[in-house]
Amino acid sequence: MLQMFSPSGRIHLHHHRRWLPTKLPYPLILFTVLWMLVFGSIFSWQNNSVDVIRHFGRIPPRLPVPKLRPVVFNLTDFDAVGDGKTLNTGAFERAVETISRLANRGGGQLNVPRGRWLTAPFNITSHITIFLEEGAVLLGIQDESYWPLLRPLPSYGYGREHIGPRYGSLIHGQHLKDVVITGHNGIIDGQGQSWWTKYKKKLLNYTRGPLVQFMWSRDIVISNITLRNSPFWTIHPYDCKNVTLSGLTILAPLHEAPNTDGIDPDSCQNMLIENCFISVGDDGIAIKSGWDQYGIAYGRPSSNILIRNVTLRSIISAGLSIGSEMSGGVANVTAENVLIFESRRGVRIKTAPGRGGYIQNIEFRNLTLDNVRTGIVIKTDYNEHADAGFDPQALPVIEGISFERVRGRGVRVPVRMHGSEEIPVRGVKFKDVSVGISYKKKRIFQCSYVEGRVVGPVFPAPCEDLDLYDEEGRLVKRATHKNDIVEVDYDG
């Protein structure tokens, strides 16, 4: 029965008429069904063509942006233009100012969508999340006249490369709390090429600025983004507490990009660095705490730092360093599950008379060295000083350094530890070490003014300066302290 509405409002009931024959030939039925399926498929594809193209990879699917704050803004709400040419500093500043007024509500989130967003340096506020979507690239302007000048860091005395002020960072914050910079692998690009060229030609009057710097701040999270081509150090937390750096890719050219360290914790406490890939033109990670008499006077150590599950490369310097600016002290550092490949040095501790301070209770576990020129370095004559005012009698203390489960291949010199009569290295421990070497001469495990022990089998044969213990902890052989320095292919 079929219901139909007439203009009078009455319902009329009609019987269906059969217009098809009661029996159809089988080929005709099959053709009709196939035609309906094809037509339906075409109709469905037309209505869902974007989804189909995305499924096959022609247009990548847009990942949903999580809402991490109670109030969310888009950068384009502040008249930003992502063409790579328009300067968007004002848009960032207006966004930050708007979010700064939301502290009592839990802050705000600024979404940076796909596009190339050119900007000069800008300051951020507390209780902010900056979310870089996939395909978002935040570009630092190359003209240094847009970069503000800041006073020297109090624990360094001057700008680090020049006496006097220093350039600020592209993203900067002081006295902040509760800051998140994250995303779907969006990019912060410092466009450092012009900075590197001017530095090498001595055309800069001030120290170059980091890409991201937080000072005197706490509860900082930077995660799941890429940072590349910093003018100077890439991420520089200074005198901060409770910092998490996770899931980061940090890149700079391996050559011709001077001092582009990846992550430099500086007088920081309670810090986690995990799940990162860092390939840069200087140290991958360098833990610091001030320089000579300025760092001694400032007196803020770097302590309670955990580094885990990271991959590092540095053809110029070391994958992981402590120092040489360590005058406020460095203590309680654990680095585990660390791969360092195609690097000049694996891990390096460096200091000198005049630094003062201490390096204590440092543990390296599950360290892998792949094609590394010198695997483990401890150096106590790194005589680069802030100025002539340092005290040569300010002698650093180095003690409690352990290496456990170290593996490697293609390593030229696995260990080079050179203390001195003034600065002996005490409490060194090696356990479960097997490093494949590419240099067949003797004394490639080098020690001088070093005290410590080897537990269980270690390859290559350790230096005679270390006590030998078996795996049950029984003393096998006492050390012979010759304290002579014989260097093989020294590249310090």
Side-chain angles (χ1 to χ4, degrees):
M1 304 286 285
L2 177 65
Q3 294 183 350
M4 298 185 64
F5 289 86
S6 68
S8 63
R10 296 179 180 178
I11 297 176
H12 302 276
L13 301 179
H14 299 274
H15 291 281
H16 288 290
R17 292 185 179 180
R18 293 183 177 178
W19 58 276
L20 290 175
T22 56
K23 292 184 179 180
L24 287 175
Y26 177 77
L28 182 59
I29 294 174
L30 180 61
F31 174 79
T32 302
V33 171
L34 290 175
W35 184 86
M36 292 176 68
L37 288 173
V38 170
F39 180 82
S41 298
I42 294 174
F43 181 80
S44 175
W45 181 84
Q46 287 176 334
N47 282 276
N48 299 281
S49 58
V50 173
D51 291 334
V52 172
I53 292 173
R54 284 175 175 168
H55 176 74
F56 286 101
R58 296 181 185 178
I59 298 176
R62 187 161 188 156
L63 297 172
V65 177
K67 183 179 178 182
L68 305 176
R69 301 281 182 179
V71 182
V72 179
F73 302 95
N74 194 298
L75 185 61
T76 54
D77 297 337
F78 302 92
D79 302 321
V81 179
D83 59 4
K85 299 177 182 179
T86 303
L87 191 61
N88 295 292
T89 316
F92 280 104
E93 291 174 340
R94 289 190 293 273
V96 170
E97 174 63 24
T98 299
I99 291 173
S100 71
R101 297 193 291 265
L102 300 173
N104 293 335
R105 299 174 57 186
Q109 176 173 324
L110 177 63
N111 292 335
V112 181
R114 297 178 190 268
R116 295 172 61 81
W117 310 93
L118 182 66
T119 181
F122 62 94
N123 295 327
I124 61 175
T125 186
S126 296
H127 310 295
I128 188 173
T129 295
I130 298 177
F131 192 97
L132 300 170
E133 293 187 31
E134 184 180 22
V137 183
L138 198 160
L139 295 169
I141 193 167
Q142 293 179 297
D143 185 349
E144 67 266 23
S145 67
Y146 285 88
W147 290 63
L149 292 176
L150 305 179
R151 287 183 292 182
L153 295 170
S155 60
Y156 283 74
Y158 73 103
R160 186 61 179 85
E161 294 177 335
H162 292 276
I163 295 174
R166 60 191 176 91
Y167 288 108
S169 56
L170 183 65
I171 298 178
H172 191 83
Q174 298 184 16
H175 305 288
L176 304 182
K177 60 182 179 179
D178 181 23
V179 173
V180 178
I181 301 176
T182 188
H184 287 143
N185 201 31
I187 296 170
I188 301 175
D189 190 333
Q191 300 200 100
Q193 294 84 351
S194 65
W195 292 93
W196 309 330
T197 300
K198 290 176 182 178
Y199 168 76
K200 287 182 287 185
K201 292 182 177 180
K202 301 182 189 266
L203 298 176
L204 296 172
N205 296 320
Y206 308 103
T207 298
R208 292 165 289 154
L211 193 58
V212 177
Q213 183 180 62
F214 295 108
M215 303 173 62
W216 307 299
S217 300
R218 60 182 302 135
D219 306 327
I220 308 295
V221 176
I222 305 176
S223 66
N224 302 324
I225 61 172
T226 293
L227 303 101
R228 67 189 186 194
N229 301 324
S230 175
F232 191 54
W233 301 340
T234 304
I235 301 178
H236 184 215
Y238 181 81
D239 199 352
C240 292
K241 294 180 174 64
N242 305 336
V243 179
T244 297
L245 307 177
S246 179
L248 303 178
T249 301
I250 301 178
L251 305 173
L254 296 173
H255 298 282
E256 307 301 324
N259 305 108
T260 49
D261 295 9
I263 299 171
D264 284 11
D266 204 337
S267 295
C268 289
Q269 291 84 48
N270 305 331
M271 187 165 180
L272 171 64
I273 302 171
E274 65 175 359
N275 305 324
C276 295
F277 179 92
I278 303 174
S279 176
V280 289
D282 209 310
D283 293 328
I285 298 171
I287 302 172
K288 304 175 182 292
S289 65
W291 201 7
D292 288 353
Q293 70 273 27
Y294 304 105
I296 294 171
Y298 193 68
R300 306 285 175 82
S302 281
S303 62
N304 301 333
I305 296 175
L306 173 60
I307 301 166
R308 64 188 181 192
N309 306 328
V310 297
T311 299
L312 309 171
R313 178 168 63 167
S314 173
I315 289 177
I316 299 297
S317 194
L320 198 163
S321 285
I322 298 175
S324 70
E325 308 94 330
M326 41 61 64
S327 300
V330 176
N332 303 332
V333 176
T334 298
E336 60 185 12
N337 303 330
V338 176
L339 167 63
I340 302 171
F341 74 105
E342 295 179 5
S343 296
R344 187 170 185 178
R345 306 170 191 91
V347 300
R348 177 168 65 162
I349 295 171
K350 48 184 178 176
T351 185
R355 290 288 191 271
Y358 52 84
I359 298 173
Q360 297 174 328
N361 192 20
I362 313 297
E363 298 184 8
F364 297 93
R365 296 196 296 260
N366 295 336
L367 173 64
T368 302
L369 307 170
D370 187 357
N371 190 22
V372 173
R373 192 176 182 88
T374 306
I376 295 167
V377 178
I378 298 179
K379 181 176 175 61
T380 58
D381 60 350
Y382 200 85
N383 289 306
E384 184 183 50
H385 298 284
D387 54 40
F390 73 96
D391 177 6
Q393 299 304 313
L395 302 175
V397 173
I398 304 177
E399 59 185 8
I401 317 294
S402 70
F403 301 89
E404 186 169 347
R405 296 189 296 279
V406 180
R407 298 291 181 266
R409 65 176 183 177
V411 178
R412 190 175 181 87
V413 178
V415 177
R416 178 180 288 126
M417 300 184 297
H418 292 325
S420 68
E421 189 172 358
E422 295 177 304
I423 311 172
V425 179
R426 296 191 174 99
V428 174
K429 176 184 174 183
F430 288 90
K431 182 178 180 181
D432 189 11
V433 176
S434 180
V435 177
I437 56 177
S438 61
Y439 198 73
K440 302 301 182 183
K441 292 188 177 181
K442 296 180 180 180
R443 303 203 65 173
I444 55 175
F445 195 123
Q446 302 173 25
C447 306
S448 60
Y449 295 96
V450 173
E451 299 175 8
R453 58 181 174 161
V454 171
V455 179
V458 168
F459 181 86
C463 60
E464 296 178 353
D465 300 67
L466 303 174
D467 295 331
L468 300 183
Y469 288 79
D470 63 20
E471 292 178 272
E472 283 70 41
R474 295 185 294 260
L475 178 65
V476 175
K477 182 183 177 182
R478 284 289 183 190
T480 302
H481 296 289
K482 297 182 178 180
N483 292 331
D484 57 337
I485 299 177
V486 178
E487 296 172 347
V488 178
D489 188 33
Y490 182 74
D491 63 1

